[in-house]
Amino acid sequence: MGTVTMVLVAWLLTGTPEAGGAATAAGSSGTFVAKTLTVRGETYVYSVYLPPGYRSGPKWPVILALHGAGSRGTDGQLPRTQSLAEAARVHPERYPAVLVLPQCPPDKDWSGDVADFALEALERSIQEYGGDRTRVYLAGQSMGARGVVQLAGRYPERFAAVVAVAGRYPDREMVGKLKGLPLWMWHGDADAVVPASESRSLVEQLKASGNDSVRYTELSGLGHDIFDTVYMDEAVSTWLLKQKRGK
Protein backbone atom coordinates (compact mmCIF):
# COMPACT_ATOMS: atom_id res chain seq x y z
CA MET A 1 0.00 0.00 0.00
CA GLY A 2 1.43 3.36 -1.03
CA THR A 3 2.09 6.52 0.88
CA VAL A 4 -1.00 8.36 -0.38
CA THR A 5 -3.34 5.46 0.39
CA MET A 6 -4.75 6.80 3.66
CA VAL A 7 -5.87 9.97 1.93
CA LEU A 8 -7.73 8.07 -0.74
CA VAL A 9 -8.88 4.89 0.95
CA ALA A 10 -12.27 6.12 2.18
CA TRP A 11 -13.22 7.24 -1.31
CA LEU A 12 -11.75 4.22 -3.03
CA LEU A 13 -13.80 1.77 -1.01
CA THR A 14 -17.10 3.26 -2.20
CA GLY A 15 -17.06 1.57 -5.59
CA THR A 16 -20.20 0.96 -7.59
CA PRO A 17 -21.96 -2.42 -7.65
CA GLU A 18 -21.46 -4.78 -10.53
CA ALA A 19 -22.73 -3.26 -13.74
CA GLY A 20 -24.83 -5.21 -16.18
CA GLY A 21 -23.05 -3.93 -19.27
CA ALA A 22 -21.06 -1.15 -20.87
CA ALA A 23 -24.05 1.18 -21.16
CA THR A 24 -24.68 1.01 -17.40
CA ALA A 25 -21.01 1.35 -16.57
CA ALA A 26 -20.70 4.45 -18.72
CA GLY A 27 -22.64 6.31 -16.04
CA SER A 28 -19.98 5.35 -13.50
CA SER A 29 -17.20 7.46 -15.00
CA GLY A 30 -14.25 7.94 -12.67
CA THR A 31 -15.30 5.14 -10.35
CA PHE A 32 -14.71 1.47 -9.61
CA VAL A 33 -17.12 -1.22 -10.72
CA ALA A 34 -17.22 -4.39 -8.62
CA LYS A 35 -17.14 -7.66 -10.55
CA THR A 36 -17.15 -11.41 -9.96
CA LEU A 37 -16.03 -14.21 -12.23
CA THR A 38 -16.22 -17.99 -11.86
CA VAL A 39 -13.40 -20.07 -13.33
CA ARG A 40 -13.48 -23.87 -13.02
CA GLY A 41 -15.95 -23.70 -10.18
CA GLU A 42 -14.05 -21.06 -8.18
CA THR A 43 -15.52 -17.56 -7.83
CA TYR A 44 -13.08 -14.65 -7.86
CA VAL A 45 -13.53 -10.91 -7.42
CA TYR A 46 -12.10 -8.02 -9.37
CA SER A 47 -12.74 -4.34 -10.02
CA VAL A 48 -12.76 -2.29 -13.19
CA TYR A 49 -11.75 1.35 -12.91
CA LEU A 50 -13.33 3.70 -15.45
CA PRO A 51 -11.44 6.97 -15.88
CA PRO A 52 -13.12 10.38 -15.72
CA GLY A 53 -14.74 11.06 -19.05
CA TYR A 54 -15.26 7.39 -19.83
CA ARG A 55 -18.00 6.72 -22.37
CA SER A 56 -18.79 3.79 -24.60
CA GLY A 57 -17.91 4.13 -28.26
CA PRO A 58 -14.23 5.09 -28.41
CA LYS A 59 -11.63 2.37 -28.00
CA TRP A 60 -9.83 2.69 -24.66
CA PRO A 61 -6.38 1.56 -23.56
CA VAL A 62 -6.67 -1.20 -20.96
CA ILE A 63 -4.18 -1.97 -18.17
CA LEU A 64 -4.28 -5.28 -16.30
CA ALA A 65 -2.67 -4.50 -12.92
CA LEU A 66 -1.55 -7.32 -10.62
CA HIS A 67 -1.06 -6.46 -6.95
CA GLY A 68 1.47 -7.73 -4.44
CA ALA A 69 1.03 -10.29 -1.67
CA GLY A 70 -0.30 -7.76 0.82
CA SER A 71 -3.49 -7.17 -1.19
CA ARG A 72 -4.55 -10.81 -1.40
CA GLY A 73 -8.03 -11.56 -0.14
CA THR A 74 -11.67 -11.93 -1.16
CA ASP A 75 -13.10 -8.48 -0.38
CA GLY A 76 -12.35 -6.96 -3.79
CA GLN A 77 -11.25 -3.72 -2.11
CA LEU A 78 -7.51 -3.91 -1.48
CA PRO A 79 -6.50 -3.99 -5.17
CA ARG A 80 -8.18 -0.59 -5.53
CA THR A 81 -5.56 0.88 -3.20
CA GLN A 82 -2.52 -0.48 -5.03
CA SER A 83 -0.17 2.12 -6.41
CA LEU A 84 -1.26 2.13 -10.04
CA ALA A 85 -4.89 2.73 -9.06
CA GLU A 86 -3.76 5.50 -6.69
CA ALA A 87 -1.75 7.15 -9.44
CA ALA A 88 -4.73 7.01 -11.81
CA ARG A 89 -6.87 8.75 -9.18
CA VAL A 90 -4.30 11.42 -8.32
CA HIS A 91 -3.27 12.04 -11.95
CA PRO A 92 -6.19 10.98 -14.16
CA GLU A 93 -4.75 12.96 -17.04
CA ARG A 94 -1.75 10.61 -17.06
CA TYR A 95 -3.80 7.41 -17.08
CA PRO A 96 -6.74 7.84 -19.48
CA ALA A 97 -7.31 4.09 -19.49
CA VAL A 98 -9.56 1.35 -18.16
CA LEU A 99 -7.87 -0.49 -15.28
CA VAL A 100 -8.61 -4.16 -14.59
CA LEU A 101 -7.82 -4.98 -10.94
CA PRO A 102 -8.21 -8.67 -10.08
CA GLN A 103 -7.71 -9.89 -6.52
CA CYS A 104 -5.58 -12.93 -5.81
CA PRO A 105 -7.10 -15.20 -3.10
CA PRO A 106 -5.25 -15.79 0.18
CA ASP A 107 -2.30 -18.19 0.04
CA LYS A 108 -2.24 -18.14 -3.78
CA ASP A 109 -0.15 -16.33 -6.36
CA TRP A 110 -0.59 -15.24 -9.97
CA SER A 111 -0.22 -18.69 -11.49
CA GLY A 112 -2.43 -21.59 -12.55
CA ASP A 113 -6.17 -20.97 -12.23
CA VAL A 114 -5.59 -17.55 -10.66
CA ALA A 115 -3.61 -16.41 -13.71
CA ASP A 116 -6.36 -17.75 -15.95
CA PHE A 117 -8.92 -15.79 -13.92
CA ALA A 118 -6.91 -12.58 -14.38
CA LEU A 119 -6.73 -13.13 -18.13
CA GLU A 120 -10.45 -13.86 -18.32
CA ALA A 121 -11.23 -10.72 -16.31
CA LEU A 122 -9.09 -8.77 -18.78
CA GLU A 123 -10.82 -10.29 -21.80
CA ARG A 124 -14.25 -9.68 -20.36
CA SER A 125 -13.36 -6.06 -19.60
CA ILE A 126 -11.99 -5.45 -23.09
CA GLN A 127 -15.27 -6.63 -24.57
CA GLU A 128 -17.52 -4.89 -22.04
CA TYR A 129 -15.81 -1.53 -21.95
CA GLY A 130 -14.57 -1.13 -25.51
CA GLY A 131 -10.89 -1.88 -25.05
CA ASP A 132 -8.36 -1.21 -27.79
CA ARG A 133 -6.69 -4.57 -28.45
CA THR A 134 -3.60 -2.84 -29.83
CA ARG A 135 -3.15 -1.02 -26.51
CA VAL A 136 -3.47 -3.66 -23.79
CA TYR A 137 -0.84 -3.38 -21.05
CA LEU A 138 0.44 -5.29 -18.03
CA ALA A 139 1.61 -3.70 -14.79
CA GLY A 140 2.64 -5.54 -11.63
CA GLN A 141 4.26 -4.83 -8.29
CA SER A 142 6.17 -7.33 -6.12
CA MET A 143 4.31 -10.67 -6.44
CA GLY A 144 2.38 -9.05 -9.27
CA ALA A 145 5.59 -8.21 -11.12
CA ARG A 146 6.40 -11.88 -11.39
CA GLY A 147 2.81 -12.46 -12.48
CA VAL A 148 2.85 -9.97 -15.35
CA VAL A 149 6.19 -11.21 -16.65
CA GLN A 150 4.86 -14.77 -16.66
CA LEU A 151 1.66 -13.71 -18.44
CA ALA A 152 3.66 -11.77 -21.01
CA GLY A 153 5.80 -14.84 -21.62
CA ARG A 154 2.71 -17.00 -22.13
CA TYR A 155 0.93 -14.58 -24.46
CA PRO A 156 3.40 -11.99 -25.79
CA GLU A 157 1.18 -11.34 -28.82
CA ARG A 158 -1.62 -9.99 -26.59
CA PHE A 159 0.23 -7.14 -24.91
CA ALA A 160 1.73 -3.85 -26.05
CA ALA A 161 4.05 -3.30 -23.07
CA VAL A 162 4.83 -4.37 -19.50
CA VAL A 163 5.88 -2.54 -16.33
CA ALA A 164 7.29 -4.80 -13.59
CA VAL A 165 8.26 -3.35 -10.21
CA ALA A 166 10.36 -5.07 -7.51
CA GLY A 167 9.63 -8.63 -8.57
CA ARG A 168 11.20 -12.03 -8.02
CA TYR A 169 11.67 -14.09 -11.20
CA PRO A 170 12.56 -17.74 -10.54
CA ASP A 171 11.03 -19.02 -13.79
CA ARG A 172 13.14 -18.02 -16.77
CA GLU A 173 11.67 -20.22 -19.51
CA MET A 174 9.79 -17.21 -20.86
CA VAL A 175 12.90 -15.20 -21.69
CA GLY A 176 13.00 -16.11 -25.38
CA LYS A 177 9.29 -15.42 -25.80
CA LEU A 178 9.62 -11.85 -24.56
CA LYS A 179 11.92 -10.80 -27.38
CA GLY A 180 10.66 -7.56 -28.90
CA LEU A 181 8.05 -6.88 -26.20
CA PRO A 182 8.63 -3.46 -24.54
CA LEU A 183 9.36 -4.11 -20.87
CA TRP A 184 10.34 -1.57 -18.22
CA MET A 185 11.64 -3.13 -15.01
CA TRP A 186 12.21 -1.26 -11.74
CA HIS A 187 13.88 -2.11 -8.44
CA GLY A 188 15.29 -0.36 -5.38
CA ASP A 189 18.93 -1.16 -4.74
CA ALA A 190 18.26 -1.33 -0.96
CA ASP A 191 15.34 -3.79 -1.30
CA ALA A 192 15.55 -6.17 1.69
CA VAL A 193 12.44 -8.14 0.67
CA VAL A 194 13.37 -9.03 -2.91
CA PRO A 195 17.00 -8.32 -3.83
CA ALA A 196 17.64 -6.13 -6.85
CA SER A 197 19.72 -8.99 -8.29
CA GLU A 198 16.40 -10.61 -9.28
CA SER A 199 15.66 -7.84 -11.76
CA ARG A 200 19.27 -7.32 -12.80
CA SER A 201 19.77 -10.95 -13.77
CA LEU A 202 16.51 -11.15 -15.71
CA VAL A 203 17.37 -7.97 -17.60
CA GLU A 204 20.78 -9.43 -18.46
CA GLN A 205 19.16 -12.62 -19.77
CA LEU A 206 16.61 -10.69 -21.80
CA LYS A 207 19.30 -8.56 -23.42
CA ALA A 208 21.45 -11.62 -24.08
CA SER A 209 18.50 -13.23 -25.85
CA GLY A 210 18.30 -10.28 -28.23
CA ASN A 211 15.56 -8.26 -26.53
CA ASP A 212 16.49 -4.65 -27.22
CA SER A 213 13.10 -3.41 -25.96
CA VAL A 214 13.85 -3.95 -22.26
CA ARG A 215 14.84 -1.07 -20.01
CA TYR A 216 15.81 -1.12 -16.36
CA THR A 217 15.75 1.56 -13.68
CA GLU A 218 17.32 0.96 -10.27
CA LEU A 219 16.51 3.49 -7.57
CA SER A 220 19.43 4.29 -5.30
CA GLY A 221 18.87 4.02 -1.57
CA LEU A 222 15.27 2.83 -1.83
CA GLY A 223 13.81 -0.44 -0.58
CA HIS A 224 10.92 -2.65 -1.64
CA ASP A 225 8.08 -0.14 -1.41
CA ILE A 226 8.92 1.93 -4.48
CA PHE A 227 5.53 1.46 -6.11
CA ASP A 228 4.19 5.00 -5.60
CA THR A 229 7.50 6.41 -6.79
CA VAL A 230 7.24 4.44 -10.02
CA TYR A 231 3.60 4.95 -10.93
CA MET A 232 3.51 8.62 -9.91
CA ASP A 233 6.41 9.25 -12.30
CA GLU A 234 4.94 10.86 -15.40
CA ALA A 235 7.63 9.24 -17.53
CA VAL A 236 6.17 5.82 -16.72
CA SER A 237 2.61 6.57 -17.82
CA THR A 238 3.87 8.42 -20.90
CA TRP A 239 6.10 5.52 -21.93
CA LEU A 240 3.50 2.86 -21.23
CA LEU A 241 0.55 4.40 -23.04
CA LYS A 242 2.52 5.36 -26.15
CA GLN A 243 3.34 1.69 -26.82
CA LYS A 244 1.13 -0.01 -29.38
CA ARG A 245 1.14 -3.49 -30.83
CA GLY A 246 2.26 -3.55 -34.42
CA LYS A 247 3.82 -0.08 -34.13
Side-chain angles (χ1 to χ4, degrees), residues 50-72:
L50 304 176
Y54 172 84
R55 60 187 176 86
S56 58
K59 294 296 184 181
W60 290 83
V62 181
I63 306 173
L64 174 62
L66 300 188
H67 62 71
S71 293
R72 289 182 291 194

Side-chain angles (χ1 to χ4, degrees), residues 26 28-31 49-55 60-61 88-89 92 95-99:
S28 304
S29 300
T31 60
Y49 175 74
L50 304 176
Y54 172 84
R55 60 187 176 86
W60 290 83
R89 286 299 309 152
Y95 289 98
V98 171
L99 308 185

Side-chain angles (χ1 to χ4, degrees), residues 193-213:
V193 178
V194 178
S197 58
E198 287 284 334
S199 290
R200 292 175 194 152
S201 63
L202 180 56
V203 169
E204 289 172 2
Q205 283 187 263
L206 288 167
K207 290 183 175 180
S209 73
N211 188 335
D212 57 3
S213 298

Side-chain angles (χ1 to χ4, degrees), residues 14 22 40 48 56 59 91 98 117-118 123 130 141 242:
T14 60
R40 303 184 188 98
V48 176
S56 58
K59 294 296 184 181
H91 294 292
V98 171
F117 145 63
E123 178 59 29
Q141 58 190 62
K242 80 176 182 180

Side-chain angles (χ1 to χ4, degrees), residues 44-234:
Y44 301 90
V45 294
Y46 68 103
S47 295
V48 176
Y49 175 74
L50 304 176
Y54 172 84
R55 60 187 176 86
S56 58
K59 294 296 184 181
W60 290 83
V62 181
I63 306 173
L64 174 62
L66 300 188
H67 62 71
S71 293
R72 289 182 291 194
T74 59
D75 62 352
Q77 304 298 320
L78 288 174
R80 300 179 182 186
T81 66
Q82 66 177 293
S83 297
L84 178 61
E86 291 177 353
R89 286 299 309 152
V90 174
H91 294 292
E93 75 285 357
R94 298 181 186 176
Y95 289 98
V98 171
L99 308 185
V100 182
L101 307 167
Q103 186 170 33
C104 181
D107 303 318
K108 299 285 184 69
D109 60 21
W110 297 110
S111 62
D113 287 350
V114 182
D116 290 344
F117 145 63
L119 285 170
E120 182 60 31
L122 172 63
E123 178 59 29
R124 190 163 131 178
S125 300
I126 291 171
Q127 295 180 20
E128 190 171 0
Y129 297 106
D132 182 349
R133 291 188 182 276
T134 70
R135 301 182 70 200
V136 178
Y137 308 101
L138 290 168
Q141 58 190 62
S142 194
M143 181 183 79
R146 175 184 176 184
V148 295
V149 170
Q150 293 297 319
L151 286 180
R154 285 174 61 187
Y155 304 104
E157 73 285 351
R158 295 184 61 172
F159 304 107
V162 183
V163 175
V165 185
R168 190 185 301 276
Y169 310 102
D171 309 314
R172 303 298 176 91
E173 295 85 357
M174 92 301 283
V175 167
K177 298 178 181 179
L178 292 173
K179 186 176 181 179
L181 181 63
L183 172 64
W184 194 349
M185 301 184 67
W186 291 73
H187 223 113
D189 71 354
D191 192 333
V193 178
V194 178
S197 58
E198 287 284 334
S199 290
R200 292 175 194 152
S201 63
L202 180 56
V203 169
E204 289 172 2
Q205 283 187 263
L206 288 167
K207 290 183 175 180
S209 73
N211 188 335
D212 57 3
S213 298
V214 63
R215 59 190 302 181
Y216 177 55
T217 300
E218 191 167 294
L219 300 177
S220 178
L222 296 185
H224 191 62
D225 190 10
I226 61 171
F227 316 122
D228 283 346
T229 300
V230 173
Y231 292 117
M232 293 290 184
D233 188 334
E234 188 173 5

